[in-house]
Amino acid sequence: MNPPSPRIEPLHWPELTAQQLHADVLRLDQLHPVVSGNKWFKLHRHLQLAANHSTILTFGGAWSNHLVATAYAAREAGFQTIGMVRGERPSAFTDTLQEAAGYGMRLEFLTRGQYADKEQPVFLQQLANRFPGVYIIPEGGGGIPGITGSETILSKINAADYTHVLCAIGTGTTCLGLVRASLPGQQIIGIPILKGFSSIDPTGLLTGEQTNRTHLLQGYDFGGYAKHPQALLDFMNRLYTDSGIPTDIVYTGKVFYAAHDSIRRHLFPARSRLLIIHSGGLQGNRSLRPGQLLF
């Protein structure tokens, strides 16, 4: 499962020209209709490591891009899949869960208390005992394999063209990979989409030099995971009308909003060249009422 090279598209915001800035979008969302965006990269190494296993098990919520991507990619690679879903079993599956099940994923449901233990060794061992031969992928495709896979994102382009790289932070996997693959002098800017996110590197995977040029751009979570006040929806619609770029309420809508607001606030030096990572995945938008978005 090797992803093709993604397209790069320029943005044409008036503020860019006025401040002598340039901004491009790395359209990872266009890589594949199902295994969209950064999922290509985060799953690649995991699937290689799972070669001697029969089944892949992973975690996600009712609107998880990761569950759908894993179900499809693992099926294509010849694996069975199990999805451990956060929350009680609903009376009717969301569109996302229906799609994952349609790709052959067996869905199991965990209480929120159980789901909170998803990284605990005792709980993981219980799952391994219950499902012999299983390979467990952390939520969102995280862990060292996910980080290693994410390091290859910038290898698909001439990364030296850019002074700043902006990306969403959920688990932090993609951002860590980007930092580790970036060049000295480049600034990596992560936009947390979860409230209370405070550290990109809690386990010390980065060098001191890498840490010094990694920045968290706080204040754009809009109240927390998947929260989407009207101001965010309005911005997403304007962005689509102006550029044709669709975004989602969980990750990329917030990244583009943060980028635009930061430019408006003159946070980048003149002649900076920005690369905004469109990490794909529009699953979360399925939870909206029809008509809230133009795409």
mmCIF file of all heavy atoms in Angstrom, residues 1 3 28-29 31-32 34-47 59 63-70 73 138-142 146 149-150 153 170-171 173-174 225 251 278-283:
data_model
loop_
_atom_site.group_PDB
_atom_site.id
_atom_site.type_symbol
_atom_site.label_atom_id
_atom_site.label_comp_id
_atom_site.label_asym_id
_atom_site.label_seq_id
_atom_site.Cartn_x
_atom_site.Cartn_y
_atom_site.Cartn_z
ATOM 1 N N MET A 1 0.849 -1.191 0.000
ATOM 2 C CA MET A 1 0.000 0.000 0.000
ATOM 3 C C MET A 1 0.883 1.239 0.000
ATOM 4 O O MET A 1 1.257 1.780 1.035
ATOM 5 C CB MET A 1 -0.903 0.004 1.242
ATOM 6 C CG MET A 1 -1.987 1.061 1.199
ATOM 7 S SD MET A 1 -3.011 1.089 2.682
ATOM 8 C CE MET A 1 -1.884 1.863 3.843
ATOM 9 N N PRO A 3 1.278 5.098 -1.193
ATOM 10 C CA PRO A 3 0.469 6.219 -1.677
ATOM 11 C C PRO A 3 1.121 6.928 -2.845
ATOM 12 O O PRO A 3 2.343 7.013 -2.939
ATOM 13 C CB PRO A 3 0.406 7.149 -0.460
ATOM 14 C CG PRO A 3 1.631 6.822 0.324
ATOM 15 C CD PRO A 3 1.873 5.359 0.116
ATOM 16 N N LEU A 28 -3.507 15.867 0.712
ATOM 17 C CA LEU A 28 -3.520 14.448 1.051
ATOM 18 C C LEU A 28 -4.925 13.865 0.976
ATOM 19 O O LEU A 28 -5.093 12.652 0.849
ATOM 20 C CB LEU A 28 -2.953 14.224 2.460
ATOM 21 C CG LEU A 28 -1.516 14.680 2.723
ATOM 22 C CD1 LEU A 28 -1.097 14.289 4.138
ATOM 23 C CD2 LEU A 28 -0.553 14.096 1.703
ATOM 24 N N ASP A 29 -5.929 14.734 1.051
ATOM 25 C CA ASP A 29 -7.315 14.266 0.991
ATOM 26 C C ASP A 29 -7.655 13.648 -0.355
ATOM 27 O O ASP A 29 -8.652 12.921 -0.474
ATOM 28 C CB ASP A 29 -8.280 15.410 1.290
ATOM 29 C CG ASP A 29 -8.127 16.580 0.321
ATOM 30 O OD1 ASP A 29 -6.985 17.045 0.135
ATOM 31 O OD2 ASP A 29 -9.155 17.023 -0.227
ATOM 32 N N LEU A 31 -5.701 11.538 -2.107
ATOM 33 C CA LEU A 31 -4.897 10.356 -2.403
ATOM 34 C C LEU A 31 -5.743 9.125 -2.717
ATOM 35 O O LEU A 31 -5.374 8.299 -3.541
ATOM 36 C CB LEU A 31 -3.968 10.036 -1.229
ATOM 37 C CG LEU A 31 -2.820 11.019 -0.974
ATOM 38 C CD1 LEU A 31 -2.013 10.563 0.223
ATOM 39 C CD2 LEU A 31 -1.932 11.122 -2.207
ATOM 40 N N HIS A 32 -6.867 8.979 -2.021
ATOM 41 C CA HIS A 32 -7.670 7.762 -2.162
ATOM 42 C C HIS A 32 -9.079 8.072 -1.687
ATOM 43 O O HIS A 32 -9.262 8.833 -0.729
ATOM 44 C CB HIS A 32 -7.066 6.623 -1.329
ATOM 45 C CG HIS A 32 -7.647 5.280 -1.594
ATOM 46 N ND1 HIS A 32 -8.797 4.840 -0.968
ATOM 47 C CD2 HIS A 32 -7.250 4.271 -2.413
ATOM 48 C CE1 HIS A 32 -9.079 3.610 -1.400
ATOM 49 N NE2 HIS A 32 -8.163 3.245 -2.270
ATOM 50 N N VAL A 34 -11.157 6.289 -0.012
ATOM 51 C CA VAL A 34 -11.501 5.714 1.302
ATOM 52 C C VAL A 34 -10.364 5.891 2.296
ATOM 53 O O VAL A 34 -10.565 6.401 3.402
ATOM 54 C CB VAL A 34 -11.852 4.209 1.179
ATOM 55 C CG1 VAL A 34 -12.199 3.636 2.565
ATOM 56 C CG2 VAL A 34 -13.013 4.014 0.217
ATOM 57 N N VAL A 35 -9.162 5.475 1.934
ATOM 58 C CA VAL A 35 -8.002 5.611 2.825
ATOM 59 C C VAL A 35 -7.450 7.014 2.605
ATOM 60 O O VAL A 35 -6.430 7.221 1.956
ATOM 61 C CB VAL A 35 -6.944 4.530 2.548
ATOM 62 C CG1 VAL A 35 -5.872 4.535 3.636
ATOM 63 C CG2 VAL A 35 -7.597 3.160 2.470
ATOM 64 N N SER A 36 -8.145 7.987 3.160
ATOM 65 C CA SER A 36 -7.912 9.385 2.809
ATOM 66 C C SER A 36 -6.831 10.021 3.669
ATOM 67 O O SER A 36 -6.703 9.729 4.854
ATOM 68 C CB SER A 36 -9.226 10.157 2.973
ATOM 69 O OG SER A 36 -9.047 11.528 2.733
ATOM 70 N N GLY A 37 -6.073 10.907 3.039
ATOM 71 C CA GLY A 37 -5.178 11.784 3.774
ATOM 72 C C GLY A 37 -4.048 11.075 4.486
ATOM 73 O O GLY A 37 -3.409 10.163 3.958
ATOM 74 N N ASN A 38 -3.816 11.508 5.732
ATOM 75 C CA ASN A 38 -2.689 10.964 6.486
ATOM 76 C C ASN A 38 -2.872 9.502 6.853
ATOM 77 O O ASN A 38 -1.935 8.844 7.294
ATOM 78 C CB ASN A 38 -2.438 11.800 7.743
ATOM 79 C CG ASN A 38 -3.648 11.892 8.656
ATOM 80 O OD1 ASN A 38 -4.752 11.464 8.324
ATOM 81 N ND2 ASN A 38 -3.437 12.475 9.828
ATOM 82 N N LYS A 39 -4.077 8.946 6.691
ATOM 83 C CA LYS A 39 -4.296 7.528 6.994
ATOM 84 C C LYS A 39 -3.420 6.630 6.135
ATOM 85 O O LYS A 39 -2.958 5.584 6.587
ATOM 86 C CB LYS A 39 -5.770 7.158 6.781
ATOM 87 C CG LYS A 39 -6.745 7.969 7.606
ATOM 88 C CD LYS A 39 -6.483 7.818 9.096
ATOM 89 C CE LYS A 39 -7.498 8.589 9.898
ATOM 90 N NZ LYS A 39 -6.938 9.436 10.924
ATOM 91 N N TRP A 40 -3.211 7.002 4.884
ATOM 92 C CA TRP A 40 -2.292 6.243 4.020
ATOM 93 C C TRP A 40 -0.963 6.005 4.738
ATOM 94 O O TRP A 40 -0.430 4.902 4.744
ATOM 95 C CB TRP A 40 -2.006 7.037 2.757
ATOM 96 C CG TRP A 40 -2.875 6.778 1.568
ATOM 97 C CD1 TRP A 40 -3.849 7.599 1.082
ATOM 98 C CD2 TRP A 40 -2.860 5.644 0.703
ATOM 99 N NE1 TRP A 40 -4.427 7.042 -0.029
ATOM 100 C CE2 TRP A 40 -3.839 5.848 -0.289
ATOM 101 C CE3 TRP A 40 -2.102 4.474 0.677
ATOM 102 C CZ2 TRP A 40 -4.079 4.924 -1.306
ATOM 103 C CZ3 TRP A 40 -2.341 3.555 -0.328
ATOM 104 C CH2 TRP A 40 -3.320 3.781 -1.300
ATOM 105 N N PHE A 41 -0.444 7.071 5.289
ATOM 106 C CA PHE A 41 0.912 7.039 5.830
ATOM 107 C C PHE A 41 0.960 6.379 7.209
ATOM 108 O O PHE A 41 1.883 5.623 7.517
ATOM 109 C CB PHE A 41 1.467 8.466 5.890
ATOM 110 C CG PHE A 41 1.499 9.132 4.550
ATOM 111 C CD1 PHE A 41 0.421 9.896 4.106
ATOM 112 C CD2 PHE A 41 2.587 8.976 3.707
ATOM 113 C CE1 PHE A 41 0.432 10.492 2.854
ATOM 114 C CE2 PHE A 41 2.613 9.573 2.447
ATOM 115 C CZ PHE A 41 1.541 10.326 2.024
ATOM 116 N N LYS A 42 -0.039 6.655 8.036
ATOM 117 C CA LYS A 42 -0.036 6.096 9.388
ATOM 118 C C LYS A 42 -0.292 4.586 9.388
ATOM 119 O O LYS A 42 0.211 3.872 10.257
ATOM 120 C CB LYS A 42 -1.063 6.812 10.259
ATOM 121 C CG LYS A 42 -0.699 8.264 10.540
ATOM 122 C CD LYS A 42 -1.419 8.826 11.743
ATOM 123 C CE LYS A 42 -2.865 9.085 11.495
ATOM 124 N NZ LYS A 42 -3.503 9.765 12.648
ATOM 125 N N LEU A 43 -1.046 4.094 8.424
ATOM 126 C CA LEU A 43 -1.366 2.669 8.396
ATOM 127 C C LEU A 43 -0.296 1.821 7.700
ATOM 128 O O LEU A 43 -0.190 0.617 7.954
ATOM 129 C CB LEU A 43 -2.700 2.447 7.694
ATOM 130 C CG LEU A 43 -3.949 2.856 8.482
ATOM 131 C CD1 LEU A 43 -5.189 2.743 7.597
ATOM 132 C CD2 LEU A 43 -4.113 2.006 9.731
ATOM 133 N N HIS A 44 0.491 2.431 6.836
ATOM 134 C CA HIS A 44 1.411 1.678 5.993
ATOM 135 C C HIS A 44 2.346 0.778 6.792
ATOM 136 O O HIS A 44 2.421 -0.443 6.560
ATOM 137 C CB HIS A 44 2.218 2.648 5.126
ATOM 138 C CG HIS A 44 3.226 1.968 4.247
ATOM 139 N ND1 HIS A 44 2.866 1.154 3.206
ATOM 140 C CD2 HIS A 44 4.583 1.968 4.284
ATOM 141 C CE1 HIS A 44 3.962 0.681 2.618
ATOM 142 N NE2 HIS A 44 5.004 1.167 3.251
ATOM 143 N N ARG A 45 3.030 1.332 7.754
ATOM 144 C CA ARG A 45 4.000 0.545 8.537
ATOM 145 C C ARG A 45 3.283 -0.455 9.441
ATOM 146 O O ARG A 45 3.764 -1.586 9.642
ATOM 147 C CB ARG A 45 4.878 1.497 9.350
ATOM 148 C CG ARG A 45 5.947 0.809 10.185
ATOM 149 C CD ARG A 45 6.898 -0.013 9.312
ATOM 150 N NE ARG A 45 7.947 -0.633 10.095
ATOM 151 C CZ ARG A 45 8.563 -1.768 9.747
ATOM 152 N NH1 ARG A 45 8.224 -2.385 8.608
ATOM 153 N NH2 ARG A 45 9.507 -2.269 10.497
ATOM 154 N N HIS A 46 2.129 -0.075 9.980
ATOM 155 C CA HIS A 46 1.367 -1.018 10.807
ATOM 156 C C HIS A 46 1.000 -2.272 10.006
ATOM 157 O O HIS A 46 1.120 -3.398 10.515
ATOM 158 C CB HIS A 46 0.092 -0.356 11.324
ATOM 159 C CG HIS A 46 0.286 0.489 12.545
ATOM 160 N ND1 HIS A 46 0.709 -0.033 13.759
ATOM 161 C CD2 HIS A 46 0.102 1.821 12.746
ATOM 162 C CE1 HIS A 46 0.772 0.934 14.648
ATOM 163 N NE2 HIS A 46 0.418 2.065 14.067
ATOM 164 N N LEU A 47 0.546 -2.092 8.778
ATOM 165 C CA LEU A 47 0.156 -3.250 7.973
ATOM 166 C C LEU A 47 1.360 -4.128 7.650
ATOM 167 O O LEU A 47 1.241 -5.361 7.578
ATOM 168 C CB LEU A 47 -0.532 -2.789 6.691
ATOM 169 C CG LEU A 47 -1.891 -2.108 6.877
ATOM 170 C CD1 LEU A 47 -2.463 -1.693 5.529
ATOM 171 C CD2 LEU A 47 -2.870 -3.006 7.607
ATOM 172 N N PHE A 59 -9.172 1.064 17.375
ATOM 173 C CA PHE A 59 -10.122 1.797 18.200
ATOM 174 C C PHE A 59 -10.595 3.065 17.481
ATOM 175 O O PHE A 59 -9.858 3.674 16.706
ATOM 176 C CB PHE A 59 -9.455 2.214 19.517
ATOM 177 C CG PHE A 59 -8.859 1.083 20.292
ATOM 178 C CD1 PHE A 59 -7.571 0.635 20.034
ATOM 179 C CD2 PHE A 59 -9.585 0.447 21.298
ATOM 180 C CE1 PHE A 59 -7.009 -0.409 20.746
ATOM 181 C CE2 PHE A 59 -9.038 -0.590 22.015
ATOM 182 C CZ PHE A 59 -7.753 -1.035 21.746
ATOM 183 N N TRP A 63 -17.829 8.211 14.467
ATOM 184 C CA TRP A 63 -17.610 8.916 13.195
ATOM 185 C C TRP A 63 -16.127 8.871 12.813
ATOM 186 O O TRP A 63 -15.607 9.780 12.171
ATOM 187 C CB TRP A 63 -18.079 10.361 13.296
ATOM 188 C CG TRP A 63 -19.545 10.489 13.567
ATOM 189 C CD1 TRP A 63 -20.148 10.730 14.764
ATOM 190 C CD2 TRP A 63 -20.601 10.353 12.622
ATOM 191 N NE1 TRP A 63 -21.507 10.760 14.631
ATOM 192 C CE2 TRP A 63 -21.825 10.531 13.320
ATOM 193 C CE3 TRP A 63 -20.659 10.097 11.251
ATOM 194 C CZ2 TRP A 63 -23.067 10.465 12.697
ATOM 195 C CZ3 TRP A 63 -21.887 10.038 10.632
ATOM 196 C CH2 TRP A 63 -23.078 10.216 11.349
ATOM 197 N N SER A 64 -15.444 7.813 13.168
ATOM 198 C CA SER A 64 -13.997 7.740 13.025
ATOM 199 C C SER A 64 -13.544 7.502 11.592
ATOM 200 O O SER A 64 -13.862 6.466 10.986
ATOM 201 C CB SER A 64 -13.456 6.624 13.923
ATOM 202 O OG SER A 64 -12.102 6.360 13.650
ATOM 203 N N ASN A 65 -12.755 8.435 11.042
ATOM 204 C CA ASN A 65 -12.084 8.210 9.761
ATOM 205 C C ASN A 65 -11.189 6.983 9.836
ATOM 206 O O ASN A 65 -11.067 6.210 8.885
ATOM 207 C CB ASN A 65 -11.205 9.413 9.396
ATOM 208 C CG ASN A 65 -11.975 10.684 9.184
ATOM 209 O OD1 ASN A 65 -12.894 10.713 8.399
ATOM 210 N ND2 ASN A 65 -11.593 11.731 9.876
ATOM 211 N N HIS A 66 -10.546 6.845 10.983
ATOM 212 C CA HIS A 66 -9.560 5.777 11.155
ATOM 213 C C HIS A 66 -10.188 4.395 11.055
ATOM 214 O O HIS A 66 -9.605 3.482 10.454
ATOM 215 C CB HIS A 66 -8.864 5.964 12.509
ATOM 216 C CG HIS A 66 -7.973 4.824 12.897
ATOM 217 N ND1 HIS A 66 -6.814 4.521 12.212
ATOM 218 C CD2 HIS A 66 -8.075 3.902 13.891
ATOM 219 C CE1 HIS A 66 -6.240 3.476 12.774
ATOM 220 N NE2 HIS A 66 -6.986 3.072 13.778
ATOM 221 N N LEU A 67 -11.368 4.197 11.629
ATOM 222 C CA LEU A 67 -12.017 2.884 11.550
ATOM 223 C C LEU A 67 -12.315 2.513 10.106
ATOM 224 O O LEU A 67 -12.070 1.383 9.672
ATOM 225 C CB LEU A 67 -13.306 2.874 12.376
ATOM 226 C CG LEU A 67 -13.164 2.851 13.902
ATOM 227 C CD1 LEU A 67 -14.543 2.794 14.553
ATOM 228 C CD2 LEU A 67 -12.307 1.681 14.369
ATOM 229 N N VAL A 68 -12.864 3.459 9.344
ATOM 230 C CA VAL A 68 -13.196 3.183 7.944
ATOM 231 C C VAL A 68 -11.928 2.898 7.143
ATOM 232 O O VAL A 68 -11.864 1.922 6.372
ATOM 233 C CB VAL A 68 -13.964 4.367 7.333
ATOM 234 C CG1 VAL A 68 -14.123 4.200 5.826
ATOM 235 C CG2 VAL A 68 -15.331 4.502 7.980
ATOM 236 N N ALA A 69 -10.907 3.731 7.313
ATOM 237 C CA ALA A 69 -9.667 3.546 6.556
ATOM 238 C C ALA A 69 -9.014 2.208 6.889
ATOM 239 O O ALA A 69 -8.541 1.491 5.997
ATOM 240 C CB ALA A 69 -8.707 4.694 6.842
ATOM 241 N N THR A 70 -8.993 1.858 8.179
ATOM 242 C CA THR A 70 -8.386 0.592 8.578
ATOM 243 C C THR A 70 -9.174 -0.587 8.029
ATOM 244 O O THR A 70 -8.592 -1.568 7.541
ATOM 245 C CB THR A 70 -8.309 0.496 10.109
ATOM 246 O OG1 THR A 70 -7.544 1.598 10.619
ATOM 247 C CG2 THR A 70 -7.648 -0.798 10.546
ATOM 248 N N ALA A 73 -8.340 -0.724 4.172
ATOM 249 C CA ALA A 73 -6.948 -1.042 3.861
ATOM 250 C C ALA A 73 -6.591 -2.454 4.319
ATOM 251 O O ALA A 73 -5.888 -3.186 3.605
ATOM 252 C CB ALA A 73 -6.014 -0.026 4.515
ATOM 253 N N PRO A 138 -3.044 1.281 17.646
ATOM 254 C CA PRO A 138 -3.604 2.287 18.552
ATOM 255 C C PRO A 138 -4.610 3.194 17.846
ATOM 256 O O PRO A 138 -4.650 3.273 16.608
ATOM 257 C CB PRO A 138 -2.376 3.082 19.007
ATOM 258 C CG PRO A 138 -1.221 2.169 18.783
ATOM 259 C CD PRO A 138 -1.580 1.361 17.566
ATOM 260 N N GLU A 139 -5.412 3.874 18.629
ATOM 261 C CA GLU A 139 -6.383 4.823 18.095
ATOM 262 C C GLU A 139 -5.701 5.797 17.141
ATOM 263 O O GLU A 139 -4.636 6.332 17.430
ATOM 264 C CB GLU A 139 -7.032 5.588 19.242
ATOM 265 C CG GLU A 139 -8.101 6.571 18.800
ATOM 266 C CD GLU A 139 -8.699 7.331 19.969
ATOM 267 O OE1 GLU A 139 -7.916 7.729 20.866
ATOM 268 O OE2 GLU A 139 -9.922 7.512 20.002
ATOM 269 N N GLY A 140 -6.319 6.019 15.991
ATOM 270 C CA GLY A 140 -5.780 6.974 15.026
ATOM 271 C C GLY A 140 -4.546 6.518 14.282
ATOM 272 O O GLY A 140 -3.927 7.296 13.550
ATOM 273 N N GLY A 141 -4.157 5.243 14.454
ATOM 274 C CA GLY A 141 -2.946 4.767 13.780
ATOM 275 C C GLY A 141 -1.680 5.229 14.454
ATOM 276 O O GLY A 141 -0.635 5.360 13.806
ATOM 277 N N GLY A 142 -1.745 5.468 15.758
ATOM 278 C CA GLY A 142 -0.618 6.027 16.493
ATOM 279 C C GLY A 142 0.499 5.037 16.768
ATOM 280 O O GLY A 142 0.578 3.968 16.167
ATOM 281 N N GLY A 146 3.103 4.425 13.313
ATOM 282 C CA GLY A 146 2.348 5.531 12.722
ATOM 283 C C GLY A 146 3.205 6.771 12.537
ATOM 284 O O GLY A 146 3.080 7.489 11.534
ATOM 285 N N GLY A 149 5.601 6.126 9.620
ATOM 286 C CA GLY A 149 4.904 6.286 8.350
ATOM 287 C C GLY A 149 4.655 7.737 8.011
ATOM 288 O O GLY A 149 4.782 8.158 6.854
ATOM 289 N N SER A 150 4.321 8.529 9.030
ATOM 290 C CA SER A 150 4.044 9.952 8.806
ATOM 291 C C SER A 150 5.295 10.720 8.391
ATOM 292 O O SER A 150 5.186 11.779 7.759
ATOM 293 C CB SER A 150 3.446 10.573 10.073
ATOM 294 O OG SER A 150 2.202 9.976 10.391
ATOM 295 N N ILE A 153 5.571 11.661 4.632
ATOM 296 C CA ILE A 153 4.685 12.620 3.960
ATOM 297 C C ILE A 153 5.489 13.678 3.214
ATOM 298 O O ILE A 153 5.238 13.963 2.043
ATOM 299 C CB ILE A 153 3.731 13.270 4.977
ATOM 300 C CG1 ILE A 153 2.727 12.244 5.499
ATOM 301 C CG2 ILE A 153 2.996 14.457 4.353
ATOM 302 C CD1 ILE A 153 1.837 12.756 6.625
ATOM 303 N N GLY A 170 -4.358 15.603 16.599
ATOM 304 C CA GLY A 170 -5.341 14.817 17.347
ATOM 305 C C GLY A 170 -4.582 13.980 18.358
ATOM 306 O O GLY A 170 -4.391 14.364 19.497
ATOM 307 N N THR A 171 -4.070 12.837 17.896
ATOM 308 C CA THR A 171 -3.182 12.042 18.757
ATOM 309 C C THR A 171 -1.764 12.613 18.754
ATOM 310 O O THR A 171 -0.978 12.308 19.653
ATOM 311 C CB THR A 171 -3.124 10.583 18.268
ATOM 312 O OG1 THR A 171 -2.565 10.544 16.943
ATOM 313 C CG2 THR A 171 -4.509 9.960 18.266
ATOM 314 N N THR A 173 0.352 11.999 16.225
ATOM 315 C CA THR A 173 1.172 11.086 15.435
ATOM 316 C C THR A 173 1.703 11.744 14.169
ATOM 317 O O THR A 173 2.907 11.712 13.890
ATOM 318 C CB THR A 173 0.352 9.840 15.054
ATOM 319 O OG1 THR A 173 -0.123 9.213 16.248
ATOM 320 C CG2 THR A 173 1.190 8.854 14.265
ATOM 321 N N THR A 174 0.823 12.333 13.384
ATOM 322 C CA THR A 174 1.243 12.946 12.124
ATOM 323 C C THR A 174 2.202 14.100 12.368
ATOM 324 O O THR A 174 3.223 14.232 11.683
ATOM 325 C CB THR A 174 0.016 13.445 11.339
ATOM 326 O OG1 THR A 174 -0.830 12.334 11.035
ATOM 327 C CG2 THR A 174 0.435 14.132 10.047
ATOM 328 N N TYR A 225 -13.274 18.428 20.829
ATOM 329 C CA TYR A 225 -13.303 17.489 19.712
ATOM 330 C C TYR A 225 -14.643 17.544 18.978
ATOM 331 O O TYR A 225 -15.704 17.358 19.584
ATOM 332 C CB TYR A 225 -13.050 16.070 20.221
ATOM 333 C CG TYR A 225 -12.982 15.036 19.131
ATOM 334 C CD1 TYR A 225 -11.810 14.854 18.400
ATOM 335 C CD2 TYR A 225 -14.077 14.248 18.826
ATOM 336 C CE1 TYR A 225 -11.734 13.912 17.391
ATOM 337 C CE2 TYR A 225 -14.013 13.296 17.820
ATOM 338 C CZ TYR A 225 -12.844 13.130 17.108
ATOM 339 O OH TYR A 225 -12.786 12.197 16.116
ATOM 340 N N TYR A 251 -11.016 18.236 12.107
ATOM 341 C CA TYR A 251 -9.591 18.532 11.953
ATOM 342 C C TYR A 251 -9.312 19.711 11.009
ATOM 343 O O TYR A 251 -8.871 20.772 11.430
ATOM 344 C CB TYR A 251 -8.854 17.285 11.429
ATOM 345 C CG TYR A 251 -8.911 16.101 12.358
ATOM 346 C CD1 TYR A 251 -9.802 15.064 12.135
ATOM 347 C CD2 TYR A 251 -8.070 16.009 13.469
ATOM 348 C CE1 TYR A 251 -9.861 13.966 12.983
ATOM 349 C CE2 TYR A 251 -8.113 14.924 14.323
ATOM 350 C CZ TYR A 251 -9.018 13.905 14.080
ATOM 351 O OH TYR A 251 -9.078 12.836 14.920
ATOM 352 N N HIS A 278 -3.472 19.240 4.357
ATOM 353 C CA HIS A 278 -4.881 18.817 4.355
ATOM 354 C C HIS A 278 -4.872 17.313 4.606
ATOM 355 O O HIS A 278 -4.637 16.518 3.698
ATOM 356 C CB HIS A 278 -5.543 19.140 3.015
ATOM 357 C CG HIS A 278 -7.040 18.992 3.051
ATOM 358 N ND1 HIS A 278 -7.663 17.897 3.606
ATOM 359 C CD2 HIS A 278 -8.040 19.799 2.607
ATOM 360 C CE1 HIS A 278 -8.983 18.035 3.503
ATOM 361 N NE2 HIS A 278 -9.229 19.188 2.911
ATOM 362 N N SER A 279 -5.143 16.920 5.840
ATOM 363 C CA SER A 279 -4.970 15.526 6.246
ATOM 364 C C SER A 279 -6.150 14.639 5.899
ATOM 365 O O SER A 279 -6.182 13.466 6.282
ATOM 366 C CB SER A 279 -4.673 15.452 7.752
ATOM 367 O OG SER A 279 -5.642 16.159 8.489
ATOM 368 N N GLY A 280 -7.128 15.184 5.148
ATOM 369 C CA GLY A 280 -8.200 14.354 4.622
ATOM 370 C C GLY A 280 -9.254 14.007 5.651
ATOM 371 O O GLY A 280 -9.247 14.459 6.790
ATOM 372 N N GLY A 281 -10.179 13.157 5.239
ATOM 373 C CA GLY A 281 -11.187 12.634 6.145
ATOM 374 C C GLY A 281 -12.344 13.582 6.372
ATOM 375 O O GLY A 281 -12.241 14.514 7.162
ATOM 376 N N LEU A 282 -13.437 13.342 5.690
ATOM 377 C CA LEU A 282 -14.615 14.189 5.861
ATOM 378 C C LEU A 282 -15.725 13.443 6.593
ATOM 379 O O LEU A 282 -16.877 13.874 6.605
ATOM 380 C CB LEU A 282 -15.133 14.670 4.496
ATOM 381 C CG LEU A 282 -14.137 15.452 3.643
ATOM 382 C CD1 LEU A 282 -14.773 15.843 2.320
ATOM 383 C CD2 LEU A 282 -13.637 16.687 4.375
ATOM 384 N N GLN A 283 -15.375 12.319 7.241
ATOM 385 C CA GLN A 283 -16.378 11.499 7.905
ATOM 386 C C GLN A 283 -17.193 12.283 8.926
ATOM 387 O O GLN A 283 -18.409 12.109 9.032
ATOM 388 C CB GLN A 283 -15.712 10.317 8.617
ATOM 389 C CG GLN A 283 -15.027 9.325 7.717
ATOM 390 C CD GLN A 283 -16.001 8.413 7.009
ATOM 391 O OE1 GLN A 283 -17.172 8.352 7.358
ATOM 392 N NE2 GLN A 283 -15.523 7.720 5.995
#
